[in-house]
Amino acid sequence: MIVLAPRRAMGGINSWATQLERAWPGDDLTFIDTSPPHRKPSQSASGGGAFVDLAAGIHRWTKSLVLARTTKRSIWATVSPTIGYRVRDVPFIVLARLLGVRVIVQIHGSHLDGLLGRSPVSQRWARLGLRAAAVVVVLDSATEERLEELAGRKISRLPNFMQTRSRLEAPRVHAERLLYVGRVAHDKGSGVLLEIGRLLRGGERLTVAGPLDPAIEASFARDAAQLGIHVTGQLAPKEVEDLLRTADVLVLPSFHEGFPMVVLEAMSVGLPVVASDVGACREMLVDGPETAAGVVLPSPSRTSPQEFARATIEILRTGGLSRLYGGQERVDSRYSPSAVISQMRQLGRAGGSK
């Protein structure tokens, strides 16, 4: 398998790629790094930078197609639901189809308006790429159903995976150490994090770990400092794991997600989660016969940052955490590396409809 994925970002796709490299059986896996060549992964491309990104993307796709033709392997292309898919990826997916190269497109996210665009022309072009792919993979059932309708083809669903780690102590009844991990941006709930900071009282603390979106970097850092929120910036994976082990609860107030790896990482050490009801969060944390691993709340895009923050604080202060210890059980039963990679290899060999 030839995998196109960013390796230098702090985020879900990078975490997924790291786990895949560790767990993949055999030596038939090749990574081609799609990280932005000239900017931080949290920054948006603009001006000449966008052309540099496009040129880098063309080079990587060309390299992967040559390698796939030479070695007779499939390409597993991870894409984000953004304009980059339409501008950079669609032409090469179509070209791969013409060259007889199997491309599996895995969409890491549930923001389908970002994937397809809003204009009729953009949507037709995006659907062309989806139909040319040998397999299209999404991470959650809601996105699977919606994209099947929009794309007019069969969509496969494959969750992310994680190896469970040594267990934390039992969840505390009342949380004092709150943690957010990920890109800090408006669509990730940066406003909610500030509202939570305003509601904290003596002994309670919120730590925010991850790169700040340049559009809000100065204002968020200033407001967070005034509220006593600890902002770490981007961290190495080991530092993130240490934070997960010392926190009482992970908070994820995103406006949209796919299958957030940070939630899976928290579950793998038994850390309870309070998350927006977006993407696969409900499936991961609540649904099914296993003990719940967290609580899902309406996305702040549907309510308000204030309401999400107040609901979060109420859960933490009324003993709601004591029942949320099912994360490791859920990871072992649903999201083990062996089970998911076995399905991934099958899709790469021959599965899916064109």
Side-chain angles (χ1 to χ4, degrees), residues 41-306:
S42 58
Q43 290 179 314
S44 299
S46 60
F51 289 103
V52 174
D53 281 359
L54 180 60
I58 291 171
H59 170 73
R60 290 156 178 166
W61 264 109
T62 302
K63 179 180 177 181
S64 67
L65 284 175
V66 171
L67 185 60
R69 291 266 293 175
T70 303
T71 61
K72 308 300 182 185
R73 286 187 284 171
S74 298
I75 296 173
W76 190 286
T78 64
V79 304
S80 296
T82 65
I83 191 174
Y85 159 74
R86 303 190 297 278
V87 173
R88 176 191 59 240
D89 301 327
V90 170
F92 280 96
I93 296 169
V94 174
L95 177 60
R97 175 69 175 256
L98 296 174
L99 293 174
V101 174
R102 285 178 54 80
V103 174
I104 299 92
V105 173
Q106 184 174 27
I107 302 166
H108 280 254
S110 60
H111 185 45
L112 295 185
D113 287 344
L115 181 79
L116 300 174
R118 297 186 180 276
S119 74
V121 173
S122 172
Q123 292 173 0
R124 284 196 294 271
W125 177 246
R127 285 195 293 267
L128 177 64
L130 295 175
R131 291 169 180 165
V135 184
V136 177
V137 178
V138 297
L139 303 169
D140 65 283
S141 56
T143 303
E144 176 189 10
E145 293 173 8
R146 185 176 172 215
L147 193 57
E148 281 190 348
E149 180 180 352
L150 293 172
R153 64 158 295 166
K154 171 66 178 172
I155 303 297
S156 298
R157 175 163 52 94
L158 189 67
N160 290 333
F161 56 88
M162 179 68 61
Q163 189 75 49
T164 53
R165 303 164 186 179
S166 59
R167 185 180 294 274
L168 292 174
E169 296 179 2
R172 300 175 66 176
V173 174
H174 300 292
E176 294 181 347
R177 296 168 296 183
L178 290 74
L179 175 64
Y180 169 85
V181 177
R183 184 171 59 90
V184 184
H186 172 72
D187 64 333
K188 293 293 186 178
S190 59
V192 177
L193 299 176
L194 294 175
E195 290 298 328
I196 289 174
R198 291 188 180 95
L199 296 174
L200 297 181
R201 58 195 183 196
E204 299 171 337
R205 185 169 192 185
L206 170 62
T207 297
V208 174
L212 273 65
D213 184 339
I216 66 164
E217 185 170 6
S219 61
F220 185 89
R222 181 190 65 244
D223 293 343
Q226 292 174 349
L227 295 168
I229 298 172
H230 181 213
V231 180
T232 70
Q234 184 164 338
L235 298 176
K238 180 60 171 65
E239 294 173 303
V240 171
E241 183 175 343
D242 290 343
L243 283 177
L244 291 169
R245 291 184 179 282
T246 56
D248 294 323
V249 64
L250 178 77
V251 180
L252 188 74
S254 298
F255 287 25
H256 49 79
E257 288 285 349
F259 194 104
M261 283 295 293
V262 69
V263 170
L264 206 54
E265 291 178 85
M267 292 168 64
S268 75
V269 297
L271 180 66
V273 180
V274 176
S276 299
D277 191 2
V278 293
C281 288
R282 178 172 291 277
E283 299 171 27
M284 299 169 73
L285 296 169
V286 177
D287 289 348
E290 302 95 339
T291 302
V295 175
V296 290
L297 299 173
S299 167
S301 65
R302 285 190 252 164
T303 55
S304 70
Q306 294 80 8

